[in-house]
Amino acid sequence: MTGRSDRDNPFDPRLIAAVVAVGVVAFIALWALVALGPQLSSGNDGGGHALSKAAPGFAGIVDLAERARADVELRRSVETATYEDDKPLLVLTPAADTNAEDVADMLARQGNGPVLLVLPKWRTMPGTGEGHKPGWVGFGVPLPAPTRLLPQNYFGTVEIAMPQAKAQTVTADVARRRFAVPLPAGAQTISGAGLETLIPGANGGAVLARTTNREFYVLAEPDLLNNLAFASRDKAHAAAMLIDAVGEDAEAAGIAFDLTLNGFGGGRSLLRFAFVPPFIGITLCLIAAGLLALWQAWARFGPALRPARAIPISKQALIANSADLIRQARRELDGADAYVRSQRGAIARRLHAPGGLSAEETDAWIDRHLKADSASFATLARRLPLARNTHEFLADAQALHDIRKELLRDG
């Protein structure tokens, strides 16, 4: 029979290492995308926000303002604003299902800054079929915006309606700027005691209004500013004049389009904090530590350690094991007589003591060979069996061992 070669082994260590490395990287990338996905998304999903290129979106006015070299910002985070000068006009584009508490929190965080709140109007469905492009919508149904999107403590009691009116062109006069505004048929309007009409609509309502106590503006008809307004040159001109007039009236230094109300960033979570400064450094250190631990577990340093025997094979091990058994049984003091006899016999045999001597005579013979200042072997031999504890036993046994070393020079 021929032995199998290394090439026949289906588990190649390098292949397994590559699989593990790819799995670790994929796992980290997955959680990074989960945490940062809303902030990295292109946003072209057909919604009514500043990233959408669909009909109800506002990517057109954003692109136009950027081409006009205006100071445009797309906000993906929620921060408390404290303005002194250069206040930007914050444009909010909530959807019909946006939480009213989020809108109120956004207005509270804006402080003394101006806000333009564009009400939603269209309930859309994604487009399907041949010729459909990503980010487009199939069709939409106009429905009045819910009044809960306008907190009463800021806007008072309001009424939102879509009167049956024909398409018409009205003249707007905002911030001493007069321009024509082509209103679509059934333009959405808003009315309330705490609102001042800037651009009138049908049945006494307003398509653009401003609160009487703060610089909060409400655009009830989103088709005057969204991508539908860029279907013709006149509507696009009116949209540009409208956003510029509102900014001039609010004395704003730029435009900031909020994206957090539409689900693009702004969420606070420990997972997202792990991948943004300043905590990204800790995350990288933890990842590096994990990779080092994996490498240390993979690589072996030195030869493989073989398990040692439970009972080593040697006289020293036998003595150690015997001593350990005596210690565990707590019978140390019972070996005093045997220890004295072993020491006496070893000394007498090595020094050639006369034969026929008794134990006491042998002890006296050993004492005659000791120095005058040395401890008496006979005294220690009588005292050791009478030891009351292990401390006394060890002291006398060590003294006997020292006498043997002195006489026999055997260490």
Side-chain angles (χ1 to χ4, degrees):
M1 297 178 61
T2 58
R4 297 181 61 185
S5 63
D6 294 338
R7 296 181 180 179
D8 296 331
N9 186 7
F11 299 101
D12 187 357
R14 291 175 295 181
L15 178 61
I16 299 301
V19 171
V20 172
V22 171
V24 171
V25 173
F27 180 79
I28 297 174
L30 173 63
W31 285 106
L33 289 177
V34 171
L36 303 177
Q39 293 186 330
L40 300 177
S41 175
S42 63
N44 190 25
D45 57 357
H49 49 80
L51 296 177
S52 175
K53 298 180 181 179
F58 296 89
I61 191 64
V62 172
D63 182 68
L64 180 62
E66 291 177 345
R67 290 174 182 271
R69 297 185 178 181
D71 187 6
V72 181
E73 178 186 2
L74 299 179
R75 291 188 178 180
R76 294 178 180 262
S77 61
V78 181
E79 299 179 358
T80 302
T82 54
Y83 299 114
E84 295 181 358
D85 298 321
D86 299 333
K87 299 180 294 184
L89 174 65
L90 179 62
V91 181
L92 303 181
T93 57
D97 57 352
T98 299
N99 193 339
E101 296 180 355
D102 295 339
V103 178
D105 180 69
M106 186 69 66
L107 295 174
R109 289 175 177 271
Q110 185 62 7
N112 61 341
V115 177
L116 172 61
L117 197 152
V118 184
L119 293 177
K121 173 182 177 181
W122 296 98
R123 309 299 190 273
T124 61
M125 295 293 292
T128 58
E130 186 177 357
H132 168 70
K133 294 184 178 181
W136 284 21
V137 296
F139 63 92
V141 178
L143 294 175
T147 57
R148 59 179 175 79
L149 296 179
L150 300 172
Q152 291 189 4
N153 55 331
Y154 294 110
F155 299 94
T157 303
V158 299
E159 180 180 355
I160 301 174
M162 297 179 65
Q164 298 295 326
K166 296 181 180 180
Q168 56 180 319
T169 300
V170 298
T171 302
D173 189 355
V174 182
R176 298 181 301 275
R177 296 190 180 188
R178 296 178 62 87
F179 54 95
V181 179
L183 297 180
Q188 185 171 247
T189 61
I190 185 174
S191 59
L195 298 177
E196 175 186 355
T197 300
L198 297 181
I199 299 179
N203 297 343
V207 294
L208 177 64
R210 177 182 57 196
T211 58
T212 57
N213 55 352
R214 300 187 65 172
E215 293 181 334
F216 286 171
Y217 301 82
V218 180
L219 179 61
E221 179 50 57
D223 290 351
L224 298 180
L225 198 62
N226 60 21
N227 295 334
L228 283 175
F230 291 82
S232 65
R233 181 181 295 272
D234 294 338
K235 292 182 179 181
H237 178 267
M241 292 297 297
L242 188 150
I243 192 70
D244 188 57
V246 173
E248 182 70 21
D249 186 74
E251 297 181 354
I255 307 173
F257 289 87
D258 173 72
L259 298 174
T260 62
L261 293 179
N262 305 98
F264 298 96
R268 292 180 175 269
S269 66
L270 293 177
L271 184 60
R272 187 176 68 86
F273 285 157
F275 292 95
V276 296
F279 301 104
I280 182 63
I282 300 177
T283 302
L284 293 177
C285 290
L286 291 177
I287 293 174
L291 293 177
L292 287 176
L294 181 63
W295 175 70
Q296 185 178 11
W298 181 271
R300 188 178 68 193
F301 297 92
L305 298 178
R306 296 181 180 180
R309 291 176 56 90
I311 302 177
I313 302 176
S314 66
K315 293 181 179 181
Q316 184 178 2
L318 180 60
I319 295 173
N321 292 333
S322 300
D324 188 60
L325 289 175
I326 295 174
R327 182 184 60 80
Q328 292 183 12
R330 297 182 179 180
R331 305 301 296 269
E332 297 94 336
L333 302 181
D334 294 344
D337 290 332
Y339 184 74
V340 171
R341 288 194 301 269
S342 67
Q343 296 295 333
R344 180 188 296 121
I347 296 174
R349 188 168 51 253
R350 292 283 299 276
L351 296 182
H352 305 286
L357 299 178
S358 64
E360 291 77 8
E361 294 173 343
T362 304
D363 294 343
W365 182 85
I366 294 174
D367 287 338
R368 288 196 296 268
H369 289 76
L370 294 175
K371 296 179 181 179
D373 57 347
S374 300
S376 173
F377 185 91
T379 303
L380 294 174
R382 290 192 302 268
R383 191 171 61 189
L384 184 61
L386 302 177
R388 293 169 296 179
N389 51 57
T390 57
H391 297 288
E392 294 181 359
F393 176 82
L394 290 176
D396 293 343
Q398 183 64 43
L400 287 178
H401 183 69
D402 293 341
I403 291 175
R404 174 176 173 170
K405 289 171 57 179
E406 179 184 349
L407 295 176
L408 304 184
R409 303 290 195 272
D410 58 359

